Amino acid sequence: MSGDEKKIDMSDVAAALPSGGAGLTDEDRAGLVSAIQDKLETLMSQNFLATLSPAVRTRVTALQDIQKSHDELKEKFLEEKAALEAKYQKLYEPLYNQRLEIVAGDKEPEGAEVPAAEEGAEVEKGVPEFWLTAMKNNEILAEQITSRDEPALKYLKDIRWSQLGEELKGFKLEFYFVSNPYFKNEVLTKSYFMIDEEEPILEKAEGTEIEWNAGKNLTQKIMKKKPKKGAKSSKPITKTEPCESFFNFFSPPAVPTEEEELDEEEAEELQEMMEQDYDVGSTLREKIIPHAVSWYTGEAADLEDLDDDEDDEDDDEDDEDEDEDEDDDDEDDHPKPRGRGRRG
C-alpha cells in the first residue's frame, strides 16, 4: 500500500472546527464529536467492506445508499415534527390561559353558574391547591415533595413549558407563584439543555437561584445541639444542614468541566442524579402540564395504575412461560429414569 493510500481524509472533521482559532463553544464541541464519530463509523465500514466479495460489496453499498436516503427523510421528519410541536404549543396557550384564570380565581367558567357560598361559610377563590394536588397524585413527583414543602407549593398558581429556541435543543419549565412568605421570586425556572432530544441525551440543566426570605429556606434544616460537658458556653450549637425538598429541583447536579475528573463511582452517581432530575422535568412537561386537571382529580393516576397493573400481569405471564420452558428444558436435558415393570 502506498503512502497516499494510507492517508486518511480528515477534511470533514476539520470543517467542524471553528475558524480563526476561536475557542470551542458547546455547540462547536458537539459538532466536532459528531464529525469524529461519523469519520470512525465510515472507516470501520470501509474496513469491513474490504473483507466482502466484490458482488456482495456492491449490494451492501446499494443498501448503504438506501439507508442514507432513509436517514435524510428521518432528519426532515424531525424538523417538521419540531415545527408542528411549536405550532400546537401556540394553539395550546389560550387554553392554558383560561385554565390559569379559573385556578387563580380571576375569572369564573364561561356559561357555568357557580353556586354561591353558604351563609357563614368561607368563600373559596378559584381551585385551592390545584397544582400541589396534581403533583402529589403523580408517583414520581410525590417522592420529591416533603411535608415542609407543601405550604409553599400552595402558592403555586401555574406551570408552563417552552422550547429553548431555534439555536438550542431542550426545554424550559416555568413555575409561577403568587406573593408568599417563603421567597421573593415570582417565577422559578428550570432549563434542560439537550445534546439529542430524540434519544434523549441531556447535556446539563440549570435552575433559578431562589431568593429565600430570612429563616424560610426549605432546602436547609437548622440543627441545634447541646454543648459538650465542660464547654465554656452553655448555649446550644446551631448548625445548618441541607435537607430533602422539592425546591432542590432548582439546584440541579453540576456537570464537571473538562479539567475536573470523576472516578467511576462518582460518574455513576452523577448520571443517576441527572437521570432522576430529567425524569421529574419530563414528567412535568409531558404529563402534568398538558393533563393537569386529570392529575388533580386523580383520574390520570388511576389510569396509570391500571396500565401498570396490565404490564405487571403481562410480566407475570412471561415469567410463568419462562419457568415452564425451563422445566421442559430440564426434562430434556436429564433423561428420565427407566421404570421397572411389574412383577407378575
Side-chain angles (χ1 to χ4, degrees):
M1 187 179 286
S2 68
D4 292 337
E5 289 175 326
K6 288 182 180 178
K7 287 182 180 177
I8 299 173
D9 181 11
M10 299 293 286
S11 58
D12 45 357
V13 175
L17 291 168
S19 59
L24 286 176
T25 64
D26 289 342
E27 189 175 351
D28 292 333
R29 194 175 292 107
L32 182 58
V33 169
S34 178
I36 292 172
Q37 287 175 338
D38 290 344
K39 173 58 65 178
L40 290 174
E41 287 172 9
T42 300
L43 292 172
M44 289 172 66
S45 174
Q46 288 173 349
N47 290 337
F48 174 72
L49 288 174
T51 66
L52 302 175
S53 67
V56 174
R57 185 160 58 243
T58 300
R59 295 177 192 124
V60 172
T61 301
L63 292 175
Q64 287 178 320
D65 291 338
I66 293 172
Q67 182 65 51
K68 186 178 178 182
S69 298
H70 173 277
D71 293 344
E72 289 171 355
L73 283 175
K74 180 69 180 290
E75 192 76 24
K76 189 176 180 183
F77 161 73
L78 294 177
E79 289 175 6
E80 292 182 6
K81 178 186 173 186
L84 192 64
E85 192 173 54
K87 172 188 173 181
Y88 276 89
Q89 194 63 26
K90 289 181 181 178
L91 295 175
Y92 293 146
E93 282 300 310
L95 301 179
Y96 291 158
N97 291 337
Q98 289 175 34
R99 180 174 68 188
L100 170 60
E101 290 174 341
I102 294 172
V103 167
D106 297 332
K107 193 175 180 181
E108 297 293 7
E110 281 186 27
E113 192 172 326
V114 179
E118 294 182 10
E119 189 175 344
E122 185 180 347
V123 178
E124 288 186 306
K125 184 182 178 183
V127 184
E129 302 178 26
F130 178 79
W131 290 102
L132 171 60
T133 304
M135 291 194 294
K136 284 178 65 179
N137 281 335
N138 178 274
E139 188 176 359
I140 290 175
L141 298 179
E143 291 177 358
Q144 309 299 316
I145 299 171
T146 69
S147 57
R148 295 176 72 235
D149 295 326
E150 291 188 21
L153 288 172
K154 289 178 181 179
Y155 292 95
L156 179 59
K157 67 176 183 178
D158 200 13
I159 310 176
R160 301 284 179 103
W161 80 271
S162 60
Q163 297 286 358
L164 288 180
E166 294 180 5
E167 298 291 323
L168 299 169
K169 293 179 181 179
F171 63 95
K172 178 172 70 172
L173 296 167
E174 295 175 310
F175 296 72
Y176 294 84
F177 287 83
V178 297
S179 180
N180 66 82
Y182 292 90
F183 45 81
K184 298 178 176 65
N185 314 66
E186 292 182 1
V187 185
L188 299 179
T189 66
K190 177 70 172 285
S191 298
Y192 289 91
F193 297 84
M194 312 299 294
I195 295 173
D196 188 336
E197 291 183 279
E198 283 301 302
E199 290 298 327
I201 301 173
L202 177 64
E203 181 185 357
K204 63 178 179 178
E206 293 178 355
T208 299
E209 184 177 345
I210 302 176
E211 299 175 46
W212 295 102
N213 290 325
K216 295 292 185 178
N217 191 337
L218 297 171
T219 65
Q220 295 178 350
K221 190 179 288 186
I222 298 175
M223 310 291 289
K224 290 186 178 180
K225 294 182 180 180
K226 292 181 179 179
K228 294 180 180 179
K229 288 183 179 181
K232 292 181 179 179
S233 175
S234 59
K235 290 182 179 180
I237 300 169
T238 302
K239 188 178 180 183
T240 302
E241 295 182 353
C243 64
E244 291 185 356
S245 169
F246 173 79
F247 291 94
N248 286 323
F249 177 66
F250 299 98
S251 301
V255 178
T257 62
E258 291 180 358
E259 290 76 22
E260 298 173 324
E261 290 188 4
L262 300 179
D263 59 34
E264 188 175 347
E265 187 176 339
E266 289 173 330
E268 287 179 359
E269 185 179 350
L270 175 62
Q271 183 177 351
E272 187 177 336
M273 290 170 63
M274 290 181 70
E275 286 175 358
Q276 183 181 21
D277 180 65
Y278 181 77
D279 281 346
V280 173
S282 60
T283 297
L284 285 160
R285 170 190 171 178
E286 296 167 12
K287 294 184 178 182
I288 304 299
I289 295 174
H291 308 291
V293 70
S294 297
W295 285 102
Y296 172 80
T297 62
E299 180 186 359
D302 292 339
L303 290 173
E304 198 158 89
D305 289 341
L306 185 62
D307 289 340
D308 289 342
D309 290 341
E310 289 177 356
D311 290 341
D312 289 341
E313 287 176 10
D314 291 340
D315 291 341
D316 290 340
E317 289 175 6
D318 291 340
D319 290 341
E320 287 174 9
D321 291 341
E322 286 176 9
D323 290 341
E324 289 175 7
D325 290 342
E326 286 175 7
D327 291 339
D328 292 341
D329 290 341
D330 290 342
E331 292 174 2
D332 294 338
D333 293 342
H334 303 285
K336 296 177 182 177
R338 292 180 182 178
R340 293 180 180 177
R342 289 183 183 176
R343 291 181 180 178

